[in-house]
Amino acid sequence: MAAFKFGATQRLYAVAVLCLAAVGVAMFSQYMFDLRPCPWCILQRLLFTLIAVLCIVAAWLRGGPRVALGGISVLLAAGGIAAALWQNLVAAKSSSCNLTFADKIITGIGVDKLLPSVFKVTGSCAEAAVSILGVPYEFWSLAVFGVAGLLVLSALRGR
């Protein structure tokens, strides 16, 4: 019986699935448990979605284009880690998230108008400060961004 090989292409697809699953969990939390997302939550959803799309396209490509899209995905994952940290350390302690960097990106791109069921801000940063199993929600997001970034790096290195 041959062992399953988890090659670079499979790792890129796995990252896409992981990122889309993270958005799915966020959506489930929003609509089933009424956890209203703040701008930093929505920014992280947007980053997860972008990483997923880039990884799917990168999985179809080879050589330089794959490396370029993978590199952008790693940078977006690093941005997601930074957003999650900022949300926990700064934004969650403020009463308003209006006109923050995250809010400006969301409204500037117009993604909140394009797909409001996924990307519309409905809560404040203080309201979005919840924990699951004693771990702040944004740290779960941070962990997923970290795993995604490492998987993309491993796919690009071919290991």
Side-chain angles (χ1 to χ4, degrees), residues 4 14 29 41 44 60 66 71 81-82 94 121 132-133 151:
F4 177 73
S29 298
C41 299
Q44 290 169 67
W60 296 337
R66 174 181 271 191
I81 290 170
S94 66
V121 174
I132 297 174
L133 301 175
L151 276 173

Side-chain angles (χ1 to χ4, degrees), residues 88 130-132 134-141:
N88 181 268
V130 297
S131 295
I132 297 174
V135 177
Y137 207 93
E138 57 273 17
F139 283 171
W140 290 104
S141 178

Side-chain angles (χ1 to χ4, degrees), residues 22-33 45 117-119 137:
V23 173
V25 167
M27 300 285 300
F28 182 82
S29 298
Q30 177 181 346
Y31 290 106
M32 295 304 293
F33 301 119
R45 285 184 193 183
S117 61
V118 179
F119 297 115
Y137 207 93

Side-chain angles (χ1 to χ4, degrees), residues 40-150:
W40 291 97
C41 299
I42 297 298
L43 178 61
Q44 290 169 67
R45 285 184 193 183
L46 179 60
L47 292 172
F48 279 130
T49 304
L50 290 172
I51 292 168
V53 169
L54 290 177
C55 284
I56 289 168
V57 174
W60 296 337
L61 302 172
R62 299 288 178 264
R66 174 181 271 191
V67 172
L69 292 179
I72 294 168
S73 296
V74 171
L75 291 175
L76 290 173
I81 290 170
L85 284 171
W86 183 267
Q87 181 180 356
N88 181 268
L89 299 173
V90 178
K93 292 158 184 58
S94 66
S95 59
S96 174
C97 303
N98 291 341
L99 302 176
T100 62
F101 179 70
D103 193 45
K104 289 177 184 177
I105 289 174
I106 299 303
T107 57
I109 293 172
V111 71
D112 56 335
K113 306 259 187 303
L114 181 67
L115 197 56
S117 61
V118 179
F119 297 115
K120 183 178 179 184
V121 174
T122 59
S124 72
C125 292
E127 291 172 332
V130 297
S131 295
I132 297 174
L133 301 175
V135 177
Y137 207 93
E138 57 273 17
F139 283 171
W140 290 104
S141 178
L142 184 149
V144 174
F145 279 120
V147 169
L150 290 174

